[in-house]
Amino acid sequence: MAKHVFLTGLPGIGKTTLIQKTLEVLKSSVVSIDGFYTEEVREGGRRIGFDVVTLSGRRGVLSRIGSSPSVAGHEYRVGQYVVDLVSFEQLVLPLLRHADLDSSGVKKVCVIDEIGKMELFSQSFIQAVHQILSGSGTVILGTIPVPKGKPLRLVEEIRNREDVKVFSITRENRDSVLQDVVTAVKNCLKGEVC
């Protein structure tokens, strides 16, 4: 039986948009929702990096093109993007560490968009995700990248877990799969088959 719901697909296919549409539907039910999503940052029509945005509207830098001061002598880089691990962890880790049952004992949804190369530089993030995956009070609604190149250990673990329902998002199904994703999350919240 699945306890968590993840979307996977190529970059730019609409995973984050689908997460946002799912949240709009879920807000109408009495569900506690928290978490974050990743958003492109553009300047003059050119992508210059990514920000992390919490569902409460707080924003922090995830990465920018170019170089930045290294953290403890190490620069975290994915292609042309330098990851700001300190900014990411300061914003995201408190959300994930409190992603357990709310005060009324009702299960909640934790949005983690996304679990990818940039985010996985943080060992604290990996530990927090493992804790939520193993817990019983929170349903993760998240995104993971499609396999490409060297496998990402946590991503492959999530993809292969029996308690995770993974939806592959394509241009053909991204508009029609919304209700299936919503139903899967609601079923996970009720402890039913997702």
Side-chain angles (χ1 to χ4, degrees):
M1 175 177 3
K3 296 186 334 187
H4 308 287
V5 177
F6 281 85
L7 311 180
T8 190
L10 296 172
I13 203 74
K15 298 181 297 293
T16 299
T17 301
L18 188 53
I19 291 256
Q20 291 169 333
K21 288 179 179 179
T22 301
L23 293 179
E24 285 303 313
V25 175
L26 290 174
K27 284 179 184 176
S28 64
S29 37
V30 185
V31 176
S32 178
I33 303 171
D34 207 351
F36 72 93
Y37 61 93
T38 305
E39 186 175 85
E40 279 187 359
V41 177
R42 293 189 166 268
E43 194 173 85
R46 179 176 166 242
R47 183 168 68 194
I48 61 165
F50 296 91
D51 279 356
V52 174
V53 183
T54 67
L55 297 185
S56 63
R58 293 184 59 220
R59 177 180 291 270
V61 173
L62 175 59
S63 67
R64 290 295 184 268
I65 290 176
S67 61
S68 68
S70 61
V71 177
H74 191 279
E75 183 176 80
Y76 299 95
R77 183 180 282 276
V78 176
Q80 64 183 339
Y81 299 101
V82 176
V83 178
D84 187 335
L85 207 56
V86 172
S87 172
F88 172 70
E89 289 182 340
Q90 286 177 343
L91 193 61
V92 168
L93 291 179
L95 292 173
L96 299 182
R97 289 186 177 134
H98 296 101
D100 50 7
L101 292 175
D102 69 12
S103 58
S104 65
V106 175
K107 283 187 176 183
K108 65 190 281 187
V109 175
C110 181
V111 174
I112 304 178
D113 175 32
E114 88 172 354
I115 299 174
K117 284 183 183 178
M118 291 183 189
E119 296 82 3
L120 293 176
F121 282 121
S122 170
Q123 291 303 308
S124 298
F125 173 75
I126 293 169
Q127 291 170 354
V129 171
H130 272 127
Q131 188 172 359
I132 299 168
L133 284 168
S134 301
S136 61
T138 300
V139 174
I140 295 175
L141 173 59
T143 64
I144 53 176
V146 294
K148 183 175 90 174
K150 182 180 177 190
L152 302 170
R153 180 184 292 163
L154 181 57
V155 171
E156 293 312 305
E157 177 188 322
I158 289 168
R159 189 182 317 282
N160 295 311
R161 287 178 66 113
E162 290 184 8
D163 63 350
V164 169
K165 171 77 175 167
V166 178
F167 288 91
S168 291
I169 307 306
T170 65
R171 292 205 189 286
E172 294 75 30
N173 74 359
R174 67 182 178 193
D175 295 323
S176 62
V177 76
L178 173 61
Q179 191 53 54
D180 293 337
V181 173
V182 169
T183 300
V185 173
K186 286 182 174 180
N187 287 345
C188 287
L189 286 165
K190 292 188 269 186
E192 298 175 1
V193 177
C194 296

